[in-house]
Amino acid sequence: QVQLVESGGGLVQAGGSLRLSCAFSGRTFSNYVMGWFRQAPGKEREFVVCISRSGAVTRYADSVKGRFTISRNNAKNTVYLQMNSLRPEDTAVYYCAADPIYSGTYWREYDYWGQGTQVTVSS
């Protein structure tokens, strides 16, 4: 059974940076597409970014393009989300997701989820 554990969230001022990590266990990490999603209070879960199994292909939401960077280390079974130039509207719970096949933006298609980590950006 796949398990995902996020870490790295916190409180940061606008313009600041945070780096989220997601530790993967239970299966072969390199066989899974990894994604990051976020959910703000009262809003639906939204796609942030995903990365292919090899790490060669990434896909970003327009709202984070140029500010966020996803990467993965298949030797360490970990995916990262570097978030720069943070804005108050980035405030949300950030979730790591994994799927052996799907590589799109629709959150319901991902099979496995972490518990989430809170990111709060103050103005």
Side-chain angles (χ1 to χ4, degrees):
Q1 182 73 3
V2 171
Q3 291 187 322
L4 303 173
V5 179
E6 302 99 333
S7 61
L11 173 63
V12 64
Q13 288 188 330
S17 298
L18 282 174
R19 188 195 197 202
L20 305 184
S21 299
C22 173
F24 176 105
S25 62
R27 290 290 186 272
T28 302
F29 180 58
S30 59
N31 289 344
Y32 287 77
V33 173
M34 300 299 297
W36 286 97
F37 291 76
R38 65 187 182 186
Q39 189 165 17
K43 294 188 177 182
E44 188 170 353
R45 192 167 298 191
E46 67 170 352
F47 170 78
V48 176
V49 60
C50 64
I51 187 167
S52 64
R53 297 170 192 82
S54 68
V57 179
T58 57
R59 184 174 181 179
Y60 291 86
D62 288 343
S63 59
V64 306
K65 205 171 291 184
R67 300 188 298 122
F68 291 11
T69 303
I70 190 171
S71 61
R72 66 189 296 163
N73 185 327
N74 284 349
K76 294 186 176 181
N77 294 348
T78 303
V79 62
Y80 305 97
L81 182 62
Q82 178 66 43
M83 304 186 296
N84 298 330
S85 302
L86 282 161
R87 305 167 180 168
E89 54 263 40
D90 295 318
T91 295
V93 177
Y94 282 71
Y95 295 93
C96 174
D99 197 272
I101 298 173
Y102 185 69
S103 60
T105 65
Y106 191 41
W107 69 269
R108 294 185 186 273
E109 294 293 329
Y110 283 80
D111 282 349
Y112 302 101
W113 292 86
Q115 81 289 349
T117 186
Q118 177 69 46
V119 171
T120 303
V121 184
S122 63
S123 57

